Amino acid sequence: MDDDVDRLVDEQIAVCLDPSNPKSFFLFAGAGSGKTRSLVSALEHIQGTWGDRLRRSGQRVGVITFTNAASDEIKRRIQFDPLFDVRTIHSFAWSLIDGLNNDIRAWLTTKLTEDIRDLQAQEAKGRAGKASTERKLKIASSIKRLEMLPSITRFIYSPTGTNRTRDSLNHAEVIQLTSYLLSSKPRMQSIFVGRYPILLVDESQDTSEALVNALFQVEARQAGSFSLGLIGDMMQRIYSDGKDDLGKNLPDGWQTPSKKMNHRCPSRIVALINKVRSSVDDHQQQPRSDAAEGVVRLFVIPAESGNKPELEARMVKIMADTTGDAYWTVPSAVKTLTLEHKMAAARLGCLDVFSALYELDSMSLLNGTQTLATFFTNEILSIVEARQSGDGFALMRTLKAHSPLLTSEALRASPGRAHLVAIQAFVDDLLSLWKNGADPSLLQVLRRVASSRLLEVPERLLAWTVDDVEPTAEDEAVDEATRKRHEIIDRLLAASFSQVEPLREYLAGRARFDTHQGVKGLEFDRVMVIMDDTEARGFMFKYEDLFGGKTEGKVLEATRRLFYVTTSRAKKSLALVAYSSNPERVKRFVLDQGWFSDDEVIEELLN
């Protein structure tokens, strides 16, 4: 067996990256295939072969990564060479439009005008109630923003910030704007390619469809002077806003190198993930010649079983005995993954808050950019913790970063000590909600913050800062999407604030539990995957469907991808826990499909 079989792939990519004869490509890189290694190898080839030429021309190589951690790792491996502009998608998009203030203003003018017109038309047909209150506040906010556009000389944006000032763009706007300008402005396309004759996009299956389509247009119109390299694996797609069937029906002339090796997993796990994806495509991997055999066990347990943590503790003991690896009994040495975030959130005590925020916008929540989440975790919680611990420096740092009362304009308007004393009083008034061990709701905290203007309230929460109004017939008759959003926010704000701290720890990756979103690209010696439709209460993923409940459908395919990604994290051994309403069907399905052998499926747990 040739462990270096993929070296030919790296050579094929290198040929594509010749600036005098550029070719575009889609690189298939399955789980554990050494994708980052190939990306870095491509950059090192450019560095050594074409670096001087590109530098003399004042050109750079663009690299788009999925996470900041991935960006930092690639920069480190190429020794921070400025020839390479390595950024996350939002950061890269902003770098292309930063300073195009007239174009941004024109686009925002059109968008805001259309939004206001649509909202006013809806309001003219509606009645008083929460829906009306939300519309009126949104109309007023949009009109104010529209009126201020002519006075804004420079628009700003932070890929990791909340972006709530009038001169800032939000995360979605940056992607929409960049996609629009790249698609509609030939001059911008020429400037873009002149700056970046080579662009490599990692995790391209999860990159915004609008931006991917724009890049395809650039590639088509700038043929002969631009190389677009897309790296990914549709089986590892997580988010729904990516481009469907990416990698299929590519334009003529595109190269399609494919990596065959799995350098991470033992041979038994490689065999499993090959079986799982065999019904989807013909991509099959091979383990290293020196790969260990590895151990896999599937625990099939009735969904109605009680005390599941205790059951899982027995499974851990079985894994330790089966593998001869005592570290299975050490919680910190086992990565426990849930294919649904809500399962982890329930175990951590933040299910109500997490579920609501996840339903509103899962992608921005998980990548740390959701305004509603950061409002509570980064702003309010930071104020509360700093004040409760008596850390005046941390308190002032948070207020200076987020409070409209401490902007330079506010301080000029209200100079002197009295203004600072008033702010301190607002903080103390907020903290009074926790008096005598109370645990206030997020709604109570929101209204206390809003009444003092201590923080800038996210637009989507403004309707909840005013006194409750009686629901009207219109509130009941609003479109389904609006009604659902109202219900979600009601649930969010009814939750206790004590859930915010574990939410923050989970989103930061510091909790014991994680999911495939949090560990994508990572690897662990021992992995336990817990699958439970009842506990997850999700609608996007159904594990019963995966194990024989259905034969087709979007939910089934999404669940299959999640299962593939999660199981492929394991380097030594893997425990899969399936809580099912029909355990016999699960066992029959996995045996019939050849996913597991009979001795690998465990139905009875001994004390």
Side-chain angles (χ1 to χ4, degrees):
M1 186 179 295
D2 183 5
D3 291 342
D4 293 324
V5 65
D6 288 336
R7 68 181 179 279
L8 298 177
V9 171
D10 292 343
E11 293 170 6
Q12 188 176 355
I13 293 173
V15 172
C16 295
L17 302 177
D18 179 352
S20 60
N21 185 27
K23 294 181 176 64
S24 295
F25 64 89
F26 180 89
L27 168 64
F28 164 75
S33 62
K35 171 173 58 70
T36 302
R37 184 185 312 161
S38 286
L39 177 55
V40 171
S41 176
L43 299 181
E44 290 174 342
H45 170 76
I46 296 170
Q47 199 174 38
T49 308
W50 306 108
D52 290 342
R53 169 179 167 170
L54 293 171
R55 289 187 180 92
R56 286 195 301 269
S57 302
Q59 295 176 309
R60 305 178 74 190
V61 175
V63 182
I64 295 176
T65 65
F66 193 69
T67 64
N68 286 310
S71 176
D72 293 341
E73 174 64 14
I74 292 171
K75 289 176 184 177
R76 183 188 66 78
R77 292 204 199 183
I78 57 175
Q79 299 179 330
F80 302 94
D81 188 337
L83 174 65
F84 304 105
D85 191 3
V86 186
R87 300 171 183 261
T88 60
I89 183 64
H90 286 88
S91 176
F92 191 84
W94 175 242
S95 74
L96 299 181
I97 64 174
D98 183 12
L100 301 180
N101 298 295
N102 290 333
D103 290 312
I104 295 173
R105 186 179 297 105
W107 184 86
L108 282 174
T109 299
T110 300
K111 182 178 184 297
L112 289 170
T113 300
E114 292 174 351
D115 290 348
I116 292 167
R117 184 172 61 244
D118 291 344
L119 288 166
Q120 288 175 333
Q122 295 172 31
E123 182 61 21
K125 301 175 183 177
R127 299 178 182 178
K130 181 163 286 183
S132 175
T133 300
E134 184 179 29
R135 276 196 303 271
K136 288 176 180 177
L137 289 168
K138 191 175 291 185
I139 290 170
S141 175
S142 297
I143 290 175
K144 186 174 181 180
R145 190 181 184 194
L146 182 62
E147 291 173 344
M148 292 186 67
L149 287 181
S151 65
I152 297 174
T153 58
R154 185 175 185 86
F155 292 90
I156 63 173
Y157 169 74
S158 168
T160 58
T162 52
N163 301 298
R164 290 206 295 269
T165 59
R166 296 291 174 180
D167 57 351
S168 66
L169 302 177
N170 64 41
H171 304 296
E173 288 171 343
V174 167
I175 298 298
Q176 294 168 6
L177 250 169
T178 304
S179 304
Y180 167 75
L181 293 175
L182 273 178
S183 299
S184 62
K185 303 283 187 181
R187 173 67 174 163
M188 182 173 179
Q189 294 175 4
S190 298
I191 294 173
F192 171 71
V193 172
R195 186 191 304 179
Y196 301 108
I198 300 171
L199 176 66
L200 305 177
V201 183
D202 194 12
E203 303 287 7
S204 57
Q205 76 277 355
D206 279 318
T207 302
S208 163
E209 180 177 15
L211 188 56
V212 169
N213 286 336
L215 292 174
F216 270 112
Q217 291 187 40
V218 173
E219 195 275 339
R221 295 172 184 173
Q222 300 292 325
S225 57
F226 179 57
S227 175
L228 175 60
L230 304 179
I231 304 168
D233 174 13
M234 288 301 289
M235 193 66 180
Q236 297 187 70
R237 178 181 173 187
I238 292 176
Y239 298 110
S240 59
D241 67 341
K243 184 176 176 64
D244 289 333
D245 296 326
L246 184 64
K248 296 182 179 179
N249 302 316
L250 292 167
D252 292 341
W254 275 62
Q255 303 298 302
T256 55
S258 177
K259 304 197 76 173
K260 295 180 173 60
M261 291 297 300
N262 184 313
H263 298 278
R264 173 192 302 147
C265 302
S267 57
R268 177 64 191 92
I269 294 177
V270 173
L272 171 61
I273 61 178
N274 281 341
K275 280 285 188 181
V276 170
R277 80 176 299 158
S278 62
S279 62
V280 178
D281 57 41
D282 58 1
H283 288 297
Q284 296 286 285
Q285 293 182 299
Q286 65 185 55
R288 291 183 58 84
S289 60
D290 57 356
E293 175 63 22
V295 174
V296 175
R297 291 293 183 271
L298 172 65
F299 297 87
V300 185
I301 310 297
E304 64 274 13
S305 299
N307 203 344
K308 291 175 181 176
E310 180 182 327
L311 293 176
E312 289 153 20
R314 296 185 204 168
M315 299 175 203
V316 164
K317 179 65 166 57
I318 291 173
M319 290 301 297
D321 293 341
T322 302
T323 61
D325 181 358
Y327 280 104
W328 263 100
T329 61
V330 180
S332 61
V334 179
K335 195 64 176 180
T336 303
L337 305 180
T338 59
L339 289 175
E340 228 296 335
H341 287 277
K342 295 175 186 176
M343 296 166 63
R347 292 161 186 256
L348 292 167
C350 58
L351 178 61
D352 299 327
V353 170
F354 181 90
S355 295
L357 294 173
Y358 187 84
E359 289 180 52
L360 287 170
D361 185 351
S362 60
M363 183 172 184
S364 65
L365 174 67
L366 299 174
N367 67 23
T369 61
Q370 192 194 93
T371 301
L372 269 61
T374 57
F375 176 68
F376 289 107
T377 59
N378 296 5
E379 299 181 30
I380 296 178
L381 181 59
S382 295
I383 290 173
V384 171
E385 288 181 333
R387 185 68 182 87
Q388 288 178 336
S389 65
D391 190 340
F393 291 106
L395 175 61
M396 186 55 65
R397 184 167 59 248
T398 301
L399 290 172
K400 288 185 70 175
H402 301 291
S403 177
L405 300 179
L406 281 176
T407 62
S408 55
E409 293 83 356
L411 292 174
R412 282 196 298 269
S414 301
R417 178 173 172 76
H419 183 64
L420 297 179
V421 171
I423 294 174
Q424 182 64 56
F426 292 148
V427 172
D428 290 342
D429 182 52
L430 171 64
L431 267 291
S432 69
L433 291 173
W434 283 266
K435 189 175 180 180
N436 298 323
D439 186 6
S441 69
L442 269 65
L443 179 62
Q444 291 175 291
V445 174
L446 170 68
R447 289 184 171 175
R448 192 65 58 92
V449 167
S451 66
S452 65
R453 290 193 66 246
L454 189 63
L455 296 168
E456 189 79 28
V457 174
E459 185 177 286
R460 281 195 286 181
L461 296 180
L462 288 174
W464 281 261
T465 62
V466 299
D467 291 337
D468 291 328
V469 294
E470 289 296 321
T472 67
E474 187 206 354
D475 285 324
E476 301 299 326
V478 294
D479 64 271
E480 182 64 19
T482 300
R483 184 188 64 78
K484 185 174 180 61
R485 186 175 69 253
H486 289 173
E487 291 178 353
I488 293 171
I489 294 178
D490 283 340
R491 282 194 280 113
L492 169 69
L493 297 179
S496 60
F497 194 84
S498 59
Q499 295 190 31
V500 174
E501 191 273 337
L503 172 73
R504 180 186 62 187
E505 296 304 292
Y506 180 62
L507 295 177
R510 294 189 290 263
R512 172 187 171 188
F513 297 92
D514 215 324
T515 65
H516 73 283
Q517 286 95 338
V519 299
K520 190 173 182 179
L522 302 179
E523 54 191 33
F524 310 93
D525 287 341
R526 305 157 202 88
V527 173
M528 172 177 273
V529 180
I530 301 173
M531 300 166 285
D532 187 342
D533 287 345
T534 303
E535 186 180 351
R537 294 186 291 173
F539 58 92
M540 295 176 65
F541 318 119
K542 297 290 185 183
Y543 317 119
E544 297 282 16
D545 289 0
L546 176 65
F547 295 119
K550 289 189 177 181
T551 57
E552 60 182 19
K554 290 185 177 180
V555 173
L556 169 62
E557 293 310 314
T559 308
R560 192 197 312 275
R561 292 196 299 269
L562 293 166
F563 184 79
Y564 175 90
V565 170
T566 310
T567 56
S568 61
R569 299 306 97 194
K571 295 171 61 180
K572 290 185 177 180
S573 49
L574 171 67
L576 299 160
V577 184
Y579 291 105
S580 174
S581 59
N582 193 338
E584 182 55 35
R585 185 189 65 202
V586 173
K587 180 177 181 179
R588 184 170 62 251
F589 173 82
V590 299
L591 294 179
D592 289 347
Q593 294 295 312
W595 288 12
F596 301 92
S597 60
D598 189 69
D599 64 308
E600 291 176 326
V601 181
I602 299 176
E603 298 177 274
E604 299 293 333
L605 300 179
L606 301 177
N607 290 319

